[in-house]
Amino acid sequence: DIMGPGTFARCLPTIRRVMEERISLTCEEHFPALGRRYRLTTVPLSNGFVTTGEDITEIRRTEDALRETEQRLRLALRNAPISVAAQDRDLRYVWAFNQTMSSINAMLGRTDYDLLPRADADHVVAMKRRVLEEGIELTERLWVNPPTGRKFLDVFWEPLRDDSGDVIGVASTALDLTAMKVAEDALRESEAHYRTLSDTMLQGVVYQDREGRILSMNPAAEAILGRSRESFLGANSEAHQNDTLREDGS
């Protein structure tokens, strides 16, 4: 009556094996009448058997909630340039998702020294050791060189704690900024090249905004106009004091 006919029917083969083979067996069953899930262990006796039950309802509910949370996290991060991972106190990876440095299976159970060049690993391990030992959060932007190619990451490290508050590992969140960094460096290089060209050319060049305000000028323009760049900055080129003479005298 407690187990219900369906549950008893599923357990009956287990009970028969216990009695026939004289072995102990464990199974999990849901008791609909109680609305609970139990781990049942059946042990043979000389004249029958005894079954003990452990209520694992809350454990399974917690596991289901964690599984649902992880599924939502996977959906949220699937198309985002964000990697997350967890390491134990030995800094071995115990969980990872959406990784760009290596496949997840290749990371689990390994350390940063297995995944990165020595110099890179020395640096990130030193940061993680601080998190472990001091219980603090750290963040840094850095280049790393995994086998999948050089990457520029914005990394956040924080301590993982147990129910007692003791630090049991390190959690890492990394935002891949490689494309942005490469574009910034290319723009900076282009600007430096253009600035060098502008500064060394013989023709005068004056830079203005849409309203005609002077933003900058090159050294040749200063020499041609006979005034320093600073005296022009912010002024409107149409102002009377900035009048110039053309070669024909007009």
Side-chain angles (χ1 to χ4, degrees), residues 1-222:
D1 293 332
I2 296 176
M3 297 179 69
T7 304
F8 181 77
R10 288 193 299 272
C11 289
L12 189 57
T14 299
I15 295 172
R16 285 174 174 165
R17 280 194 62 194
V18 170
M19 296 299 294
E20 294 170 359
E21 302 177 28
R22 312 304 295 173
I23 59 174
S24 299
L25 292 175
T26 299
C27 64
E28 290 186 15
E29 286 295 338
H30 178 248
F31 285 40
L34 302 177
R36 311 293 292 179
R37 179 173 288 276
Y38 289 86
R39 181 183 290 117
L40 305 174
T41 301
T42 303
V43 180
L45 300 176
S46 59
N47 59 348
F49 65 90
V50 62
T51 299
T52 60
E54 177 189 1
D55 189 341
I56 58 172
T57 307
E58 297 307 321
I59 294 175
R60 291 294 177 259
R61 284 176 179 171
T62 300
E63 290 176 347
D64 290 344
L66 287 173
R67 192 176 300 110
E68 183 178 353
T69 299
E70 184 173 340
Q71 289 174 345
R72 290 177 178 176
L73 177 63
R74 290 178 185 276
L75 288 173
L77 297 181
R78 180 171 296 167
N79 297 312
I82 300 175
S83 302
V84 290
Q87 293 166 274
D88 60 19
R89 286 198 63 88
D90 295 325
L91 293 181
R92 293 189 178 278
Y93 285 95
V94 295
W95 183 82
F97 181 71
N98 212 32
Q99 294 296 313
T100 58
M101 294 199 307
S102 175
S103 69
I104 294 175
N105 289 336
M107 292 180 66
L108 298 182
R110 305 177 76 183
T111 71
D112 292 300
Y113 285 104
D114 300 316
L115 304 170
L116 295 171
R118 181 82 188 188
D120 291 349
D122 281 343
H123 180 73
V124 298
V125 166
M127 299 289 284
K128 292 173 182 178
R129 286 293 179 199
R130 285 192 60 196
V131 173
L132 284 174
E133 295 166 5
E134 302 176 35
I136 59 175
E137 299 175 353
L138 293 174
T139 185
E140 184 179 1
R141 288 188 174 186
L142 72 164
W143 282 102
V144 292
N145 299 274
T148 53
R150 194 166 188 244
K151 299 184 182 301
F152 186 73
L153 305 176
D154 186 356
V155 189
F156 174 74
W157 297 287
E158 63 179 319
L160 288 174
R161 300 180 185 273
D162 60 15
D163 293 339
S164 301
D166 296 326
V167 178
I168 59 172
V170 178
S172 304
T173 304
L175 176 62
D176 190 345
L177 300 177
T178 307
M180 183 188 75
K181 180 64 172 175
V182 169
E184 287 179 350
D185 290 346
L187 178 60
R188 190 176 299 109
E189 182 178 350
S190 176
E191 289 176 343
H193 178 74
Y194 182 78
R195 189 177 301 110
T196 299
L197 177 63
S198 176
D199 288 348
T200 56
M201 65 190 304
L202 299 179
Q203 293 83 1
V205 179
V206 177
Y207 304 92
Q208 298 172 259
D209 62 17
R210 293 174 64 114
E211 283 71 40
R213 287 187 295 267
I214 297 174
L215 303 176
S216 183
M217 62 179 58
N218 69 348
E222 291 182 281

